């Protein structure tokens, strides 16, 4: 598969997406309060700047409702323009037996909240591989896809071993959403090549480490827990601690700053560009605290430059000093299990 440096990506035969997706975990409440009207106004700003693809989940607070309201207001521009919006949700069921009824009910709730007759993409998460009910869930999802309620099926946080198990089920999954950043390069080890073989892509999250991978934290002393005021900052600070610690992270930020200055872009741009350029990666999801903070014009710069061999040579020696996250945590998604 050839991924170009362009802004759009032909994700499936019938769906193109923006390669930088807007992540909606940031409206869940775990990243501070969100004011719905301001948030939805800002969704128009993202869309009009070309960031037309949203990543959300059934459990991200009001995220699915925001998509519903955004679509209702967007329809004033002409209902025929609604397909300009791509909304990729997730279904994250509680562990336990999965019946067709449970899947029906969950998907119907998402359809109704998002105000659509067919979900563009449902990304499935499962907590416990010892419980093989996930295979029942996948079959029920495939049935709903055949019935027209879901356009495409996908996974999130599945490891390579289970991707192989799932590949045997003869159900087509278009992507797996995993953590992928300069700090967490686990997908490069096994998963990317498996995805390449299966014509499956990766959607990456955590590329900006919740905002830690930016000028804001360059040269800063190690932040304490009280300073890390979003769920995302706490999650990724923990990841940095496992990876190599704050001093090594500062070395990485310094190296990235040099590269950013050369290209006249930001450290965040380098972090996103790096992940976008990895094999099998279709898109990078960047969290958006809608109505609170936005980085639309900065993130647009990601599409205006490429990293060269000198840039990669400046990053690699720093990354080489880090610990092996596969050994310490396991394959992608094992941090959740
Ligand atoms: N499948 C899963 O299990 C899973 C897990 C985590 C996340 N996700 C998805 O991935 C999305 C991303 O979330 P994440 O937690 O990984 O966060 P992230 O994208 O690494 O970080 C998002 C934060 O980075 C900052 N930021 C964005 N653009 C910037 C720029 N150009 N310059 C400087 N700072 C910038 C913003 O901070 P400020 O708001 O403070 O300005 C923003 O809130 C989520 O919304 C969700 O859709 C999925």
């Amino acid at each position: 598969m050839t991924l170009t440096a362009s802004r759009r990506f032909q994700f499936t035969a019938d769906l193109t997406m923006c390669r930088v997706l807007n992540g909606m975990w940031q409206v869940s409440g775990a990243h501070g309060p969100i004011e719905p009207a301001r948030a939805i106004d800002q969704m128009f700003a993202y869309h009009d700047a070309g960031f037309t693809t949203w990543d959300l989940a059934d459990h991200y607070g009001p995220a699915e409702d925001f998509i519903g309201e955004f679509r209702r207001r967007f329809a004033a521009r002409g209902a025929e323009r609604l397909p300009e919006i791509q909304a990729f949700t997730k279904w994250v069921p509680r562990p336990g037996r999965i019946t067709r009824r449970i899947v029906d009910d969950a998907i119907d709730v998402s359809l109704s909240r998002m105000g659509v007759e067919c979900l563009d993409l449902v990304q499935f998460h499962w907590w416990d591989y010892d419980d093989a009910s996930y295979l029942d869930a996948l079959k029920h999802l495939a049935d709903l896809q055949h019935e027209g309620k879901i356009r495409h099926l996908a996974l999130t946080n599945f490891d390579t071993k289970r991707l192989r198990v799932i590949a045997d089920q003869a159900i087509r999954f278009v992507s797996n959403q995993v953590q992928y950043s300069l700090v967490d390069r686990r997908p490069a080890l096994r998963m990317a090549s498996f995805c390449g073989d299966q014509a499956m892509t990766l959607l990456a999250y955590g590329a900006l480490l919740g905002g830690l991978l930016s000028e804001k934290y360059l040269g800063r002393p190690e932040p304490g827990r009280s300073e890390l005021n979003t769920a995302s900052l706490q999650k990724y600070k923990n990841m940095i601690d496992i990876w190599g610690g704050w001093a090594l992270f500062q070395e990485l930020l310094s190296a990235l700053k040099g590269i950013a200055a050369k290209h006249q872009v930001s450290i965040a741009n380098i972090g996103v560009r790096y992940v976008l350029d990895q094999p099998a990666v279709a898109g990078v999801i960047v969290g958006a605290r809608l109505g609170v903070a936005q980085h639309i014009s900065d993130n647009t710069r990601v599409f205006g430059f490429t990293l060269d061999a000198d840039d990669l040579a400046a990053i690699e020696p720093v990354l080489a000093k880090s610990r092996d996250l596969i050994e310490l945590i396991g394959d992608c998604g094992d941090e959740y299990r």
Side-chain angles (χ1 to χ4, degrees), residues 316-333:
E316 275 309 323
V318 185
L319 300 185
K321 294 184 204 170
S322 67
R323 299 194 193 104
D324 180 346
L325 292 187
I326 289 243
E327 197 182 295
L328 293 168
I329 303 175
D331 198 1
C332 302

Side-chain angles (χ1 to χ4, degrees), residues 22-26 31 55-56 60 90 125 156-157 177-178 204-216 230 232-233 235-236 266 268-269 285-289 293-295 298-299 336:
N22 312 311
M24 297 184 81
W25 183 32
Q26 276 66 15
H31 302 73
D55 179 75
L56 57 153
Y60 288 178
K90 305 186 191 79
H125 174 99
T156 178
N157 296 317
Q177 184 181 132
V178 292
Y205 64 82
L208 296 185
L209 301 161
L212 292 166
L213 200 93
S214 66
E215 277 77 2
K216 189 173 170 187
T230 69
S232 218
L233 288 169
K235 173 188 171 81
Y236 297 114
S266 66
N269 294 155
I285 306 161
V286 174
R289 285 202 291 162
Q294 58 87 6
H295 303 271
D298 190 57
N299 288 335
Y336 293 106

Side-chain angles (χ1 to χ4, degrees), residues 2-310:
T2 310
L3 301 181
T4 66
S6 71
R7 175 190 283 255
R8 307 282 309 174
F9 177 67
Q10 190 76 44
F11 186 50
T12 62
D14 60 347
L15 206 58
T16 66
M17 53 170 254
C18 179
R19 293 199 71 201
V20 173
L21 298 89
N22 312 311
M24 297 184 81
W25 183 32
Q26 276 66 15
V27 305
S28 66
H31 302 73
I34 296 288
E35 210 274 291
R38 283 174 65 99
I40 289 155
D41 284 347
Q42 203 163 79
M43 291 174 81
F44 281 91
Y46 276 89
H47 185 95
D48 292 339
F51 296 101
T52 62
T53 311
W54 302 86
D55 179 75
L56 57 153
D58 56 348
H59 66 293
Y60 288 178
E64 290 189 334
D65 306 310
F66 282 7
I67 291 291
E69 183 57 21
F70 176 52
R71 286 175 51 84
R72 270 186 290 281
R73 283 180 49 188
F74 192 91
R77 296 178 172 186
E80 73 286 354
R81 287 188 57 187
L82 280 168
E84 286 177 17
I85 304 167
Q86 302 83 44
F88 298 170
T89 195
K90 305 186 191 79
W91 178 44
V92 183
R94 289 203 192 91
R97 199 166 80 87
I98 299 287
T99 61
R100 164 70 194 238
R101 177 72 190 271
I102 290 173
V103 189
D104 267 342
D105 288 351
I107 296 305
D108 283 346
V109 168
S110 292
L111 287 167
S112 143
R113 292 178 74 193
M114 292 167 67
V116 291
E117 285 173 8
C118 178
L119 299 168
D120 289 334
L121 189 77
V122 174
Q123 304 165 93
F124 174 71
H125 174 99
W126 189 248
W127 297 103
D128 177 11
Y129 295 137
D130 289 337
D131 179 353
S133 304
Y134 72 91
L135 296 173
D136 300 329
L138 296 179
K139 285 182 191 126
H140 295 314
L141 284 171
D143 289 342
L144 286 181
Q145 183 183 25
H146 290 134
E147 289 166 25
K149 289 189 173 181
I150 301 171
R151 190 162 298 151
H152 298 287
L153 295 175
L155 302 163
T156 178
N157 296 317
F158 273 83
D159 65 6
T160 315
K161 183 173 170 189
R162 272 68 189 199
L163 289 186
R164 284 183 208 286
V165 172
I166 291 168
D168 291 340
Q169 307 298 307
I171 303 172
R172 165 111 176 96
F173 292 90
V174 296
S175 56
N176 188 27
Q177 184 181 132
V178 292
Q179 185 171 296
Y180 204 163
S181 67
L182 278 157
V183 162
D184 184 356
R185 298 194 294 170
R186 287 175 294 166
L189 252 82
R190 306 176 191 139
M191 184 164 291
S193 64
F194 180 78
C195 288
D197 293 345
Q198 299 290 319
M200 192 188 222
T201 55
L202 293 173
L203 296 179
Y205 64 82
L208 296 185
L209 301 161
L212 292 166
L213 200 93
S214 66
E215 277 77 2
K216 189 173 170 187
Y217 289 91
L218 175 64
R220 283 264 296 267
E222 182 162 4
R225 209 179 151 75
S226 60
E227 235 182 294
L228 303 170
N229 60 0
T230 69
S232 218
L233 288 169
Q234 288 162 18
K235 173 188 171 81
Y236 297 114
K237 170 61 170 55
N238 192 32
M239 200 54 67
I240 288 168
D241 292 345
I242 302 169
W243 168 81
W246 193 250
L248 185 60
F249 185 62
Q250 285 299 321
E251 266 189 60
L252 176 60
L253 287 180
S254 296
L256 297 180
K257 182 66 191 166
I259 300 166
K262 176 178 133 187
H263 293 284
Q264 297 186 301
V265 297
S266 66
I267 289 177
N269 294 155
I270 305 295
V272 172
R273 184 75 258 165
Y274 178 88
V275 178
L276 279 177
D277 291 345
Q278 300 308 308
V281 172
V284 170
I285 306 161
V286 174
R289 285 202 291 162
L290 294 173
V292 177
Q294 58 87 6
H295 303 271
I296 295 174
S297 60
D298 190 57
N299 288 335
T300 300
R301 292 192 186 98
V302 166
F303 303 113
F305 74 103
T306 49
L307 293 171
D308 61 31
D310 290 343

